[in-house]
């Protein structure tokens, strides 16, 4: 998949499917070994937890906000353009 939007859409669809099956929420799932926090790839309003600029999930102001994360299956984040496993400094 060469289109980063396709990769992000596929990752988000996977998360939604897991939620539908009764899996833990994204923030809780990120604490498990099979999930990881991926910073800088969430769509506006679709982040899983607080950021430097707000205290609630779902309140990222812009697409790809560097301090907003979503929980993804381990190994997925590093395959997404712009994704980072590290929080920006100050978080």
């Amino acid at each position: 998949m060469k289109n980063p939007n396709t990769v992000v859409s596929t990752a988000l669809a996977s998360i939604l499917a897991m939620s539908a099956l009764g899996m833990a929420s994204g923030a809780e799932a990120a604490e498990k070994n099979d999930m990881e926090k991926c910073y800088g790839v969430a769509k506006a309003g679709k982040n899983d937890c607080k950021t430097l600029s707000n205290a609630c999930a779902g309140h990222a102001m812009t697409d790809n906000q560097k301090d907003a994360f979503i929980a993804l299956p381990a190994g997925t984040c590093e395959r997404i353009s712009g994704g980072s496993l590290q929080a920006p400094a100050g978080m």
Side-chain angles (χ1 to χ4, degrees), residues 26-60:
E28 294 170 352
E31 299 300 322
K32 294 184 178 182
N33 291 336
D34 58 341
M35 301 295 282
E36 62 192 7
K37 294 178 182 179
C38 187
Y39 294 88
V41 298
K43 291 294 223 177
K46 301 294 182 183
N47 58 305
D48 283 340
C49 203
K50 71 177 186 170
T51 69
L52 291 174
S53 58
N54 63 63
C56 297
H59 286 95

Side-chain angles (χ1 to χ4, degrees), residues 14-30 32 34-35 73:
S14 298
I15 292 169
L16 292 174
M18 288 187 296
S19 295
L21 294 173
M23 298 285 294
S25 72
E28 294 170 352
K32 294 184 178 182
D34 58 341
M35 301 295 282

